Structure formats: C-alpha cells, structure tokens
Amino acid sequence: MTQKRRRIIDAVLANRQPDLTVLAERLHKPRNFSAIVRTCDAVGIDEVHAVPGEEGVSIHWKTSQGAEKWVRVRAHENMAAACAFLRARGFQLVAAHLDDSATDYRDVDYTVPTALLLGTELFGVSPAGLAASDRQVFVPMKGMTQSLNVSVACAIVLYEAMRQRDAAGLYGKRRLDSDLLDRQRFEWMHPVLARYCRERGLPYPELDADGEIIGEIPRGSA
C-alpha cells in the first residue's frame, strides 16, 4: 500500500459520521438506491439502513461507482423494526415527505443524531414510517412538478446536514467507535486478507500507524 492511499483512507475514516444515516424504504429502482449510497459516502455516512422491496437490496455499480465498498448496508425486516432500531440508538427520525405538517428541510438541526427516512418513488414514506418519525420535511420547488427524484432529494438534504456538521466541527476528527474504526481500516487497507480472515473466522492482524501489518499473518493467506 502506498502512503498516499493510506492517507486517503485515514482521512475518509476521520470524516465518518456514525450518527448520521439514511433509512430507505422499499425503493423499487436499484439505480436510485445506488445513487443514495454514493451520496452517503460523499457526506461521510458509514452505514445505510434499508427495508428491502420485493427484489431485495440491490446496488447498480455504474451508478454507485463502487461506493458500496465503503458504506455498509444494514437491512431490516420492516419499517417498524428499522425505526425502533434507530430510535434505540438515539437517532431523531426525519421523514422526507410532503404533507401539511412538513417543514422546510433547512429548518432541521442535523448536528444531532439523525436518520433521514426515504420512501418509495411513487408514494413516499409509508404510514408506519410517518407515524414513527419526529417530523417531516420537504424541499421547496418553484416549478410545475410536485416532487424530485428520491435520490436527488436525499442528496439535497444530506448536503445541508453536511454543511451544518462541518460548521459545528464534526468532520476531521475520528468519531467512529475504536473497534469499528480499526476493523474498517484493516478491511479497506487489506481487503484480500480481510476476506480470508472473515471466511475462516480469524481475527484481523494488528496494523501500525502506517497501515502495515505487525501482527501474525494467518497461514495460507497468500
């Protein structure tokens, strides 16, 4: 591994936001979910949540540009279970859904733990998701169309979240749990060996500050 590559990985990990995420509900089009994952990586989200549709959770590589290698996707059985999981971890649930109670997306404080709920392309967030959410937001529009593509709306809201968090000094410091940080650092720097260890239930060797392996390398890893 080159020093440039190591610096990039360490810089990205230092910007990861463990308390900012997206919950996507039964999206029908893989390209939309792929675009959402790509945006999540761009703003420093480490894990995305999804309630799979009939075709499961699918990533379209040409749209995601490989972002799924850097963003973990956690699937949930249904919306109630997903919202309960996030609520138990202290997230406020903000639904991107246009109704009479929705407010401008810029009026939300995204520096607190936040999960952005996104619904299906045609119907938006489900009644279960709306019932569990703390508030609904919309993106103001000046044209004839009534809504944006779900991945576009997601990007607009997440970049507002990034703007607020950047101003609050939440980027550039390692905010991931130390065990998770060490695990992802190893997986990103040594993906082949990491896969070998996972397949055999072996612990990852220790890395030094430069990302070089200093622990014992499992036999047969070559």
Side-chain angles (χ1 to χ4, degrees):
M1 165 165 305
T2 66
Q3 289 299 308
K4 179 180 179 180
R5 179 70 169 175
R6 180 192 62 78
R7 286 195 296 269
I8 291 173
I9 288 176
D10 283 337
V12 170
L13 287 170
N15 282 319
R16 279 317 204 219
Q17 303 292 298
D19 55 355
L20 179 64
T21 191
V22 163
L23 169 55
E25 180 184 19
R26 302 187 187 283
L27 298 185
H28 301 303
K29 300 177 181 178
R31 286 182 182 273
N32 281 338
F33 186 62
S34 301
I36 288 169
V37 171
R38 185 174 178 180
T39 299
C40 286
D41 176 57
V43 302
I45 289 177
D46 199 58
E47 181 176 67
V48 173
H49 298 262
V51 176
E54 295 180 357
E55 298 181 359
V57 176
S58 179
I59 302 287
H60 193 284
W61 191 89
K62 288 187 177 180
T63 304
S64 71
Q65 288 296 295
E68 68 277 6
K69 294 187 298 183
W70 317 113
V71 179
R72 293 173 292 120
V73 178
R74 184 187 294 268
H76 299 269
E77 183 177 355
N78 53 55
M79 199 61 171
C83 290
F85 179 91
L86 292 166
R87 179 77 69 195
R89 286 156 179 78
F91 284 83
Q92 68 167 340
L93 306 180
V94 178
H97 188 86
L98 180 60
D99 63 18
D100 292 340
S101 64
T103 59
D104 191 305
Y105 75 101
R106 292 164 292 191
D107 293 335
V108 175
D109 179 6
Y110 299 102
T111 63
V112 301
T114 302
L116 176 64
L117 278 54
L118 303 169
T120 62
E121 292 87 348
L122 292 177
F123 304 110
V125 178
S126 68
L130 293 177
S133 66
D134 296 296
R135 62 190 302 175
Q136 291 83 53
V137 297
F138 70 94
V139 177
M141 302 177 65
K142 306 297 186 183
M144 293 292 290
T145 55
Q146 298 299 305
S147 64
L148 294 167
N149 174 278
V150 64
S151 64
V152 174
C154 175
I156 291 173
V157 176
L158 289 184
Y159 267 79
E160 170 62 14
M162 183 174 72
R163 184 194 68 78
Q164 292 184 17
R165 285 170 169 255
D166 197 29
L170 296 181
Y171 286 97
K173 57 180 69 174
R174 294 187 174 184
R175 304 186 62 233
L176 293 178
D177 171 84
S178 59
D179 289 339
L180 176 59
L181 177 65
D182 290 343
R183 184 167 73 249
Q184 288 191 194
R185 188 170 187 260
F186 187 91
E187 290 173 350
W188 291 8
M189 291 185 177
H190 303 278
V192 175
L193 181 55
R195 183 171 61 250
Y196 176 90
C197 291
R198 289 196 303 272
E199 290 173 350
R200 292 159 179 78
L202 301 173
Y204 293 157
E206 186 180 352
L207 300 182
D208 64 15
D210 293 325
E212 299 298 330
I213 296 172
I214 56 177
E216 182 179 352
I217 299 177
R219 293 184 178 180
S221 59

